[in-house]
Amino acid sequence: MWGTDLSRLTKKLAKTEDSHMTYRSAHVKNGALTEMQSEWFSFSFLSREAFAALKLAEEKFLSLSKSQIQLVKLQLLHDHALHTGNLKLAQQLCDELGVLASSVAGVDIEIKVEASLRHARILIAANQFSQAAAVARSLFCMCYKFSLQVENATVLLLFAEIHKRSGNAVLGIPYALASLSFCKSFNLDLLKASATLTLAELWLSLGSSHAKRALDLIHGAFPVLLGHGGLELRARAFITEAKCYLADSNFSVSEEPEMVLEPLRQASEDLELLEAAGEAVSYPCLHPCYSFVVHAPLEALPSEIHVDIDLDIKAGKA
């Protein structure tokens, strides 16, 4: 029973259920797309609140440039595309993010780093680990060259995630520890908690003898994860906690079933909220080709507004 629930929730976390998507709100007229809906649509739950806050900031702080607002919009939309498993749309948004950066070397480094990080996460989601590692190496060199110490912590954690997902936990642990060191030096509390969770997952994957160590790490990170972490991060923590109990040879599920059931229930609630954000996704107008409400795979869009993505995504390809 416990194994079935855990397997189901883990699959949900790895890739939320694909939405049956339809499109609307744009059509072609004399070769140009015409908006048919207002710029702002309900994005559902946290996404809706995020866009509402962004809209308010845009109106209140007139000094913010359109490119800054555009950057945040693209980040929110990219996060959602990854959560729903729409990797082609995620890559399209990532490309748009990269366009915001200047082509001049040494300019808009933060945007370039952000675009590369998101591209690497797309490759990880597509199980293209060697390509993701190549992007991470290039990114690390960029951060070192321009002394981006804070970003280095994120890149090191990215390496740890790549090794974790590719089944090389032993290689991933040093990167997670290095990331933790950077986080402590620069007081990056949430990133530190995320790195701690990844480290716990890596230790747990090495066998049941490390379950207690992993559990202690998770419990130490819980205050920050639950107080400031996103739904996916929280769900990962709860699922890993349940896995730690199940892997511990000294723990008896029959004697203390709630120790396993409670974190699974919490994870289920967070994942259901995360899935709910994919049931009625609406994309604010970013660019003419985005002025439609996406509830369909990119391939389902009419050829007039379809943008070819130069990304070979094949599940299982390393």
Side-chain angles (χ1 to χ4, degrees), residues 116-294:
S116 294
L117 280 170
R118 291 176 178 275
H119 178 49
R121 289 180 183 130
I122 293 170
L123 293 171
I124 293 173
N127 294 330
Q128 297 184 3
F129 303 119
S130 58
Q131 294 92 324
V135 173
R137 281 192 292 271
S138 175
L139 193 52
F140 187 83
C141 292
M142 183 191 301
C143 293
Y144 181 81
K145 179 180 180 181
F146 293 100
S147 300
L148 302 176
Q149 303 298 335
V150 175
E151 286 77 3
N152 261 334
T154 303
V155 178
L156 288 168
L157 183 55
L158 179 65
F159 274 115
E161 289 285 347
I162 292 171
H163 287 300
K164 183 190 75 175
R165 289 287 301 275
S166 61
N168 296 311
V170 173
L171 296 178
I173 288 175
Y175 288 106
L177 290 172
S179 179
L180 274 173
S181 179
F182 270 95
C183 291
K184 291 176 182 177
S185 298
F186 295 96
N187 298 316
L188 306 173
D189 292 341
L190 183 55
L191 188 59
K192 176 186 171 184
S194 179
T196 301
L197 173 57
T198 298
L199 182 61
E201 292 170 328
L202 288 166
W203 277 118
L204 184 60
S205 66
L206 291 178
S208 59
S209 60
H210 299 286
K212 183 65 168 60
R213 184 203 300 262
L215 188 61
D216 290 342
L217 286 169
I218 292 171
H219 286 169
F222 257 147
V224 176
L225 289 173
L226 301 185
H228 304 284
L231 293 172
E232 184 178 9
L233 198 60
R234 287 162 49 96
R236 273 180 57 198
F238 283 127
I239 289 175
T240 306
E241 182 187 23
K243 283 183 174 181
C244 288
Y245 284 122
L246 293 172
D248 190 350
S249 59
N250 296 319
F251 177 79
S252 174
V253 178
S254 59
E255 293 179 4
E256 299 179 280
E258 284 302 313
M259 297 292 288
V260 174
L261 287 177
E262 182 55 29
L264 290 180
R265 273 195 289 265
Q266 293 288 339
S268 180
E269 290 176 7
D270 287 340
L271 291 171
E272 285 174 3
L273 291 175
L274 190 61
E275 285 184 340
E279 293 177 359
V281 182
S282 302
Y283 290 87
C285 182
L286 296 168
H287 182 277
C289 69
Y290 294 137
S291 55
F292 50 82
V293 179
V294 180

Side-chain angles (χ1 to χ4, degrees), residues 60-78:
K60 188 172 182 178
F61 302 101
L62 300 178
S63 59
L64 288 175
S65 66
K66 289 185 177 180
S67 61
Q68 288 175 302
I69 296 295
Q70 182 90 334
L71 175 63
V72 178
K73 289 179 182 178
L74 285 168
Q75 289 172 329
L76 289 170
L77 293 173
H78 184 269

